[in-house]
Amino acid sequence: MKKGLLVLGVLLVVAGIALNLVDSEPPERTAVADPETRRTTQYGDVVGYQSTSKTFAWVGIPYAAPPVGERRWRAPVPAEAWAEPLAAIQHGPVCPQFASALAGATGAEPGTLMGDEDCLTLDVYAPANAEGLPVMFWIHGGGNSIGTGSTYDGTALAEEQRVVVVSINYRLGVLGWLSHPAFRALADNPLDASGNFSNLDMVLALEWVRDNISAFGGNPQNVTIFGESAGGRNVFALLSSPLAKGLFHRAIAQSGLTGTNTLQRAENYHDDPEPGSGSSSRELTGKWLQSTGRAEDVGSARALQDSFSDQEWLTFVRSLSVEQLLEPLAVPGGMYRAPQHFRDGAVLPKDSLLTVFADPKRWNQVPLITGTNLDEAKLFLALDSNYVSNWLGFLPRVDDPESYNWMSAYMSDTWKALAVDEVAQTIAATDARVPVYGYRFDWDEGTQNALVDLPLLLGAAHAVELDFIWGPIMGEIVAGLYNDENAPGRAFLTQAMRGYWGQFARSGDPGSGSDNSLTPWQPWQANDGAFMVLDTEAGGGLRMSTDRVMVDDLKQRLKSDARLAQASARCAMYVRLFLDNGGVENFFDSREYEALECAEFPPWSLAERTN
């Protein structure tokens, strides 16, 4: 193990308070089919089981045909009907991915490949006597390359808020997003040509909800899509997709981003005049040709690839196993980066999403909640040996707290600007009739003592807010995040967040929560930019704030920061914040970049290193 690196899958427990990043599989729920849960769908009857607290669950329901063989890299089609009642009592398989603690319970060795391409299933949770209830449609996170919907048990949310919860699996990584001219040349329709196959999985799952959820007690005319991290990013994509229009009626993006990729970034070689990503379809094809013995080196792989006809390329990539496809993408932690959300003009717009949100006619206008966590970046900085060492060989210690907090502030504030403030301001300034609600999650009360300082190491890190909606997820991964001292505050904030989320699902306005007892949550106004701070009484409580962060503010901070006096550091930070493989190109300005004395530092080369 590399010294200073908190490697996923290693148990770091000292007196139950150190970081506990493990890859463990909880005991499989022993579910028994309950005849009372029998429901009729368009595909056949399903029978679920009685979950806790008088809530029913149906899990592992297929909503699409297996995307295998000739159906790999095509738009999904509905599942085939079944004759006998389907026992929906066991979660469907995870989609292919590399195992890691952050990928959900797997039981596999970290870094090993797991999952099955036949993975397009969904889970439903509903109160036993549900009828006409709001539907909350969950899209899991994980960089769109790891994770599974089955991690998120909707029992508590369904019971407490009187909603029907749906959680889906969708194709991950290059099996879900791959753009290439051959698709456009050979496809029978724009959807098969798009490369945005996972976005289409989500649309099909929403169509399943529209056509079937009433049998489970849900109202298909009141659907809230919500997701975290990559799931939040997928929420933004659905807001912009004409194919999703009318399929949902509210949206919540938790730590999402609006970035989309140009076709050039998704397809070109990295040294083309318009450079492609290091994991573009052409770069990956070169690696696949070498790993399968079709080419000896980069040069011969490029020559062979360039000689392929469209059909030859498609035949080659469809012949590859999942193992062969994902081999060049293996990274510590499992979450790899490859282009996603392509500006194809059919599934997603050809313009950036912020440009789309600026025009009320170009997006699916529904009430929106969007927010981030105060210390988003610390989850990733905690895994970076440049900032964190292992004291006594295994206890994580921040080497330089001042530098650590400085870097986290830049990265976390940029996340807030791109995911919340710029989005909310754009929408509020162009059409005040569509309410948008911002939030910042500030809870940072993990264990702090002589052995570990979780408020410093993680604080209100990325994904910590998940536990306050779903129950322990990060708390199962990070030992010491929860303790007896912070239990009362956690209970209050959990009830508050579920109350806001549930009330928003019912009405499109989080208001004062489902029991009308919370601080009123006001919508964002273009003139003040007020957002809700979600925290316990110890941290200042639930409160509205106008401490917004816009991109121009960040750029001014960068220009005047004494720590960035050297051009190399200043340029690297500018690229890190405003240009990356995820497509967040909206605020990168080449003239501004040159004015920062950055002409000698090619931005895309820096992006590959800093992101």
Side-chain angles (χ1 to χ4, degrees):
M1 181 175 72
K2 183 177 179 181
K3 185 177 179 180
L5 185 64
L6 303 179
V7 181
L8 296 176
V10 176
L11 187 64
L12 299 172
V13 178
V14 170
I17 54 174
L19 205 61
N20 178 23
L21 293 173
V22 300
D23 183 60
S24 61
E25 184 170 17
E28 183 71 18
R29 177 193 289 114
T30 302
V32 178
D34 184 342
E36 189 178 349
T37 66
R38 184 162 176 165
R39 301 289 187 270
T40 299
T41 75
Q42 289 187 335
Y43 305 95
D45 285 4
V46 297
V47 180
Y49 59 93
Q50 185 165 355
S51 188
T52 58
S53 305
K54 298 181 181 179
T55 301
F56 291 160
W58 302 260
V59 300
I61 302 174
Y63 67 86
V68 300
E70 290 299 308
R71 294 230 56 84
R72 180 192 279 175
W73 295 313
R74 281 197 168 129
V77 297
E80 293 186 4
W82 49 86
E84 297 297 323
L86 175 71
I89 60 175
Q90 184 173 352
H91 292 291
V94 302
C95 294
Q97 59 190 277
F98 295 107
S100 79
L102 298 180
T106 67
E109 283 294 318
T112 60
L113 190 63
M114 66 177 200
D116 191 315
E117 283 189 90
D118 183 5
C119 62
L120 299 184
T121 64
L122 54 79
D123 305 334
V124 180
Y125 303 86
N129 59 346
E131 183 176 355
L133 297 181
V135 179
M136 300 191 71
F137 179 97
W138 175 251
I139 307 170
H140 72 78
N144 280 332
S145 60
I146 63 173
T148 174
S150 62
T151 298
Y152 305 88
D153 188 316
T155 299
L157 185 61
E159 181 186 0
E160 291 179 19
Q161 295 304 314
R162 296 287 299 168
V163 295
V164 174
V165 178
V166 178
S167 182
I168 69 165
N169 282 350
Y170 56 92
R171 281 174 279 184
L172 298 173
V174 295
L175 287 164
W177 284 277
L178 190 68
S179 184
H180 194 276
F183 290 137
R184 295 189 290 278
L186 300 175
D188 295 328
N189 58 73
L191 305 188
D192 283 347
S194 73
N196 288 311
F197 308 110
S198 287
N199 299 95
L200 293 170
D201 292 345
M202 297 168 209
V203 170
L204 184 61
L206 282 167
E207 291 175 346
W208 186 97
V209 167
R210 177 196 62 196
D211 298 336
N212 296 281
I213 203 63
S214 59
F216 300 85
N219 180 0
Q221 298 304 314
N222 187 2
V223 176
T224 298
I225 58 173
F226 69 134
E228 182 268 344
S229 192
R233 184 177 175 186
N234 298 335
V235 165
F236 282 129
L238 287 168
L239 282 167
S240 76
S241 177
L243 302 178
K245 185 176 181 62
L247 294 175
F248 60 92
H249 312 90
R250 301 94 166 71
I252 304 173
Q254 300 173 208
S255 303
L257 286 169
T258 60
T260 53
N261 274 284
T262 64
L263 298 188
Q264 293 80 10
R265 190 68 182 151
E267 298 176 2
N268 288 1
Y269 293 111
H270 72 90
D271 58 355
D272 281 343
E274 292 185 87
S277 160
S279 298
S280 71
S281 58
R282 282 188 170 84
E283 290 293 330
L284 284 175
T285 299
K287 295 172 183 177
W288 292 330
L289 288 168
Q290 293 177 76
S291 65
T292 57
R294 295 282 299 275
E296 294 183 355
D297 52 33
V298 173
S300 60
R302 186 162 181 166
L304 178 57
Q305 181 178 181
D306 290 345
S307 74
F308 278 165
S309 68
D310 293 323
Q311 187 58 61
E312 286 173 326
W313 178 84
L314 189 55
T315 299
F316 168 65
V317 295
R318 281 222 172 103
S319 73
L320 298 175
S321 67
V322 172
E323 291 79 5
Q324 290 170 321
L325 287 169
L326 296 187
E327 180 187 6
L329 294 160
V331 293
M335 189 187 301
Y336 63 85
R337 301 193 65 173
Q340 309 162 359
H341 296 118
F342 311 127
R343 300 178 187 177
D344 68 300
V347 178
L348 296 179
K350 290 187 176 181
D351 295 317
S352 73
L353 295 196
L354 276 181
T355 300
V356 172
F357 293 152
D359 184 345
K361 297 179 180 179
R362 296 188 64 192
W363 64 286
N364 303 317
Q365 291 185 292
V366 300
L368 169 67
I369 290 177
T370 179
T372 58
N373 296 356
L374 178 64
D375 304 308
E376 290 278 3
K378 285 189 175 180
L379 178 66
F380 309 100
L381 293 177
L383 304 174
D384 189 337
S385 60
N386 292 311
Y387 295 97
V388 175
S389 298
N390 289 336
W391 182 53
L392 300 179
F394 55 93
L395 279 172
R397 271 296 164 89
V398 175
D399 297 328
D400 183 342
E402 183 178 350
S403 295
Y404 190 74
N405 284 328
W406 172 81
M407 179 59 77
S408 175
Y410 262 115
M411 295 173 65
S412 302
D413 286 351
T414 301
W415 205 320
K416 181 177 187 293
L418 296 176
V420 184
D421 298 9
E422 294 288 349
V423 174
Q425 184 67 16
T426 296
I427 294 173
T430 54
D431 192 345
R433 295 172 299 175
V434 180
V436 57
Y437 301 87
Y439 76 81
R440 192 184 69 208
F441 174 85
D442 279 20
W443 186 88
D444 60 355
E445 299 168 21
T447 297
Q448 181 180 36
N449 58 29
L451 293 177
V452 69
D453 187 347
L454 287 182
L456 171 62
L457 183 69
L458 290 177
H462 186 67
V464 171
E465 94 286 357
L466 286 172
D467 295 28
F468 294 79
I469 301 296
W470 298 100
I473 294 175
M474 291 297 289
E476 295 285 342
I477 298 172
V478 182
L481 189 61
Y482 301 151
N483 54 46
D484 292 341
E485 184 178 348
N486 64 36
R490 285 189 287 111
F492 163 78
L493 191 55
T494 297
Q495 184 179 29
M497 290 181 64
R498 287 178 179 171
Y500 282 133
W501 265 233
Q503 181 61 20
F504 180 75
R506 269 182 290 279
S507 67
D509 179 352
S512 299
S514 56
D515 64 0
N516 202 37
S517 67
L518 304 174
T519 301
W521 190 340
Q522 304 297 330
W524 184 286
Q525 303 291 338
N527 61 344
D528 63 18
F531 60 91
M532 174 64 72
V533 177
L534 299 167
D535 205 349
T536 65
E537 184 177 350
L542 304 172
R543 61 196 185 276
M544 297 297 297
S545 171
T546 57
D547 186 21
R548 62 180 173 181
V549 182
M550 308 303 286
V551 167
D552 285 346
D553 301 330
L554 288 165
K555 289 182 175 180
Q556 289 302 317
R557 186 198 303 182
L558 185 149
K559 289 178 182 178
S560 61
D561 194 328
R563 285 176 174 262
L564 300 173
Q566 289 189 338
S568 58
R570 187 168 59 251
C571 302
M573 181 67 84
Y574 187 97
V575 165
R576 185 169 198 166
L577 300 184
F578 304 119
L579 182 73
D580 75 1
N581 293 347
V584 184
E585 304 173 50
N586 308 329
F587 297 102
F588 182 88
D589 186 317
S590 57
R591 290 175 298 180
E592 187 174 59
Y593 187 67
E594 291 181 5
L596 291 173
E597 302 178 3
C598 297
E600 65 179 290
F601 305 103
W604 281 114
S605 296
L606 278 179
E608 298 290 354
R609 296 200 298 269
T610 60
N611 290 288

